[in-house]
Amino acid sequence: MSRSRSFLASAAALFSGALLPAGLLFAGVTSVPTDVQMPGTQPGEVSGIQGVDKCDNCHGGYDPQVEPYFTWQGSAMSHATRDPLFWASVAVAEQDFPGAGDLCLRCHTPDGWLGGRSTPTDGSTLVSGDADGVSCDLCHRLTNPDLSEHAGTMFPPYLANDESPTDPVGYHGGGMFAVWNGNSKLGPYLDATPNHQFMQSKFHRSSELCGTCHDVSNLVVGDLAHD
């Protein structure tokens, strides 16, 4: 089957409403190639990332015009794992470079990726909760990989900085997130009064936080491109 027909068939299959319906025309690999592995927090290194249903108790149900939960529901982040074009793109990426889908899943379903459900790299082991895409708790546990504030969970050789002992320079972008493994939620305000533990994070006022996933290059193209 041609790649274009595979792309269309994969996209059409996703309209059935399943997270990853039977009949997709590709299969991922069970071992992520080193070309695709990136620094930062790795699968299985953090725990307790809460589902969005834990957030709407306080952050929803009072004003759809401004409440975070309602606006998140209609956002690209909410639908990052449900988008049929995303899955069609994963199919094409996997055909071009087996295992490349791991990088896609890393940002489109970070909860599933951190939970170790990104292999096989076609997303076939994701669970229903992973369809929530980029969850509230994930973003509110991101830390600056330069270690200037709160230290995210990172271990050698997957440190998302230049490892300088005195003034490390963080790697921003490419899905290289460093995730806080404590109970507190990280956010920009010092005087918040939530019903949960929190800590102020200057990183949450920085475009570099968004760039963690919104500034991504295809790291395997260099191996595939001419010359």
Side-chain angles (χ1 to χ4, degrees):
M1 176 175 287
S2 69
R3 181 178 301 173
S4 60
R5 288 180 63 195
S6 175
F7 182 99
L8 293 174
S10 298
L14 261 295
F15 284 106
S16 67
L19 180 60
L20 189 64
L24 282 182
L25 304 174
F26 71 102
V29 300
T30 57
S31 179
V32 180
T34 55
D35 309 69
V36 182
Q37 292 175 345
M38 300 290 282
T41 306
Q42 299 298 303
E45 292 183 347
V46 297
S47 61
I49 295 179
Q50 295 180 327
V52 294
D53 59 335
K54 300 293 185 182
C55 305
D56 69 331
N57 295 328
C58 294
H59 297 283
Y62 57 89
D63 187 349
Q65 296 298 317
V66 297
E67 64 186 48
Y69 181 72
F70 185 84
T71 54
W72 172 86
Q73 284 183 303
S75 70
M77 300 176 80
S78 168
H79 297 292
T81 320
R82 302 186 183 103
D83 182 3
L85 292 181
F86 162 68
W87 286 111
S89 299
V90 173
V92 172
E94 282 288 332
Q95 292 174 57
D96 284 344
F97 193 95
D102 182 79
L103 179 66
C104 309
L105 297 172
R106 184 182 186 122
C107 279
H108 278 258
T109 176
D111 294 7
W113 188 86
L114 288 167
R117 297 183 292 279
S118 62
T119 52
T121 52
D122 58 5
S124 57
T125 59
L126 296 175
V127 298
S128 59
D130 297 331
D132 286 331
V134 185
S135 67
C136 314
D137 200 25
L138 186 280
C139 283
H140 285 281
R141 289 175 64 172
L142 292 182
T143 64
N144 196 326
D146 68 4
L147 306 180
S148 58
E149 290 184 296
H150 315 294
T153 300
M154 297 184 290
F155 301 101
Y158 297 107
L159 300 180
N161 55 55
D162 64 358
E163 303 184 46
S164 167
T166 56
D167 189 22
V169 176
Y171 301 151
H172 299 103
M176 296 181 286
F177 42 66
V179 182
W180 173 253
N181 201 26
N183 295 323
S184 298
K185 315 302 180 188
L186 308 180
Y189 301 112
L190 181 62
D191 57 351
T193 56
N195 292 324
H196 53 70
Q197 299 179 53
F198 79 99
M199 294 190 298
Q200 185 182 33
S201 165
K202 296 178 181 178
F203 187 51
H204 281 72
R205 289 189 179 275
S206 169
S207 61
E208 291 174 337
L209 182 146
C210 304
T212 301
C213 283
H214 290 276
D215 184 9
V216 181
S217 298
N218 187 332
L219 67 168
V220 301
V221 166
D223 293 338
L224 299 176
H226 176 63
D227 292 333

